[in-house]
Amino acid sequence: MRGLSDLFEVPELRKRILFALGAIAVYRVGAAIPIPGVNGDAIRAIFNAQQNSLLGFLNTFSGGALGRFSILSMGVVPYINASIIVSLLQGAHVIPALDRLAKEGELGRRKLNNYTRYLTLFLAVFQSFGLTIAITKMQAPGGAIIVVDPSVWFYAMTVLTMTAGTIFVMWLGEQITERGVGNGISLLIFSGIVEQIPSATWGLIDLVRIE
């Protein structure tokens, strides 16, 4: 406890910690805002029934945002995918230009980060469109309607909203890295997982009781 209290004795460090905590709070608020036109009860029923499956794992990874079909449903997944793709292309020497950029120091890293951002935008549009199609095809337990009006306007609004949400989360993570403490993306993922620990624990207890 004394060590934790000493962290706030340094003004610059205190400012960075408070900024990181504030950014995480903003992220958690955004993860709780649902996309209009979606039956929240039906979505929760689906994820409650699938909490021990891959769908439940993805919901835990998103900090519960996917289970609410919120504006931040995809979270940092497109950014992580884009980072992995760029790293693989660079490490496998598939694109020589990426290898040269990696060896150019800070300027090269900035260009690689820009390429990662562009790829994140593309993947966010692609994945949000696929997720929207999937959610309109799902059927909740009891036959409840998930999407009230699956029109072209709903598709356009949902894809645009979730894409913007991913870009915002990516920007927020970069701000935490620069002005806060630690790796911003990792902290956002960690905060989402921690938020899901209580519900996951109770789900595990119920599963053990059933067995």
Side-chain angles (χ1 to χ4, degrees):
M1 293 299 296
R2 178 61 183 272
L4 291 176
S5 63
D6 290 342
L7 292 177
F8 290 90
E9 295 297 329
V10 182
E12 180 63 23
L13 185 57
R14 180 174 64 248
K15 181 179 179 181
R16 285 180 170 272
I17 293 175
L18 292 177
F19 179 86
L21 293 176
I24 291 174
V26 170
Y27 171 67
R28 297 310 310 158
V29 170
I33 301 176
I35 292 177
V38 177
N39 187 336
D41 294 333
I43 287 290
R44 284 190 291 272
I46 290 177
F47 280 87
N48 288 336
Q50 300 292 329
Q51 59 181 335
N52 296 319
S53 65
L54 177 61
L55 197 61
F57 171 77
L58 293 176
N59 184 42
T60 300
F61 191 77
S62 69
L66 185 59
R68 304 182 187 97
F69 205 62
S70 77
I71 59 177
L72 304 182
S73 293
M74 294 190 300
V76 297
V77 173
Y79 177 79
I80 293 175
N81 292 338
S83 300
I84 293 174
I85 292 174
V86 172
S87 297
L88 289 176
L89 292 176
Q90 175 189 335
H93 307 289
V94 177
I95 302 178
L98 296 180
D99 294 334
R100 291 194 296 268
L101 287 176
K103 298 176 182 178
E104 291 181 1
E106 183 64 24
L107 181 60
R109 284 193 294 270
R110 289 182 180 178
K111 290 183 179 180
L112 286 175
N113 288 336
N114 287 334
Y115 292 152
T116 303
R117 294 187 185 104
Y118 297 144
L119 184 57
T120 299
L121 177 60
F122 171 78
L123 292 178
V125 173
F126 179 77
Q127 293 179 9
S128 62
F129 184 69
L131 181 58
T132 305
I133 293 177
I135 212 70
T136 56
K137 300 298 183 182
M138 287 182 179
Q139 186 173 5
I145 298 176
I146 297 178
V147 179
V148 179
D149 181 22
S151 61
V152 175
W153 166 248
F154 172 80
Y155 275 90
M157 180 198 67
T158 304
V159 170
L160 179 61
T161 300
M162 288 197 294
T163 300
T166 295
I167 300 303
F168 173 74
V169 173
M170 179 182 66
W171 174 83
L172 194 63
E174 292 177 349
Q175 294 303 306
I176 295 176
T177 302
E178 294 178 3
R179 303 171 56 186
V181 289
N183 185 287
I185 298 297
S186 299
L187 285 176
L188 293 179
I189 295 174
F190 176 74
S191 68
I193 294 176
V194 169
E195 194 269 343
Q196 289 295 297
I197 287 179
S199 60
T201 302
W202 283 114
L204 179 61
I205 294 175
D206 291 338
L207 183 63
V208 172
R209 287 177 179 175
I210 293 175
E211 293 181 351

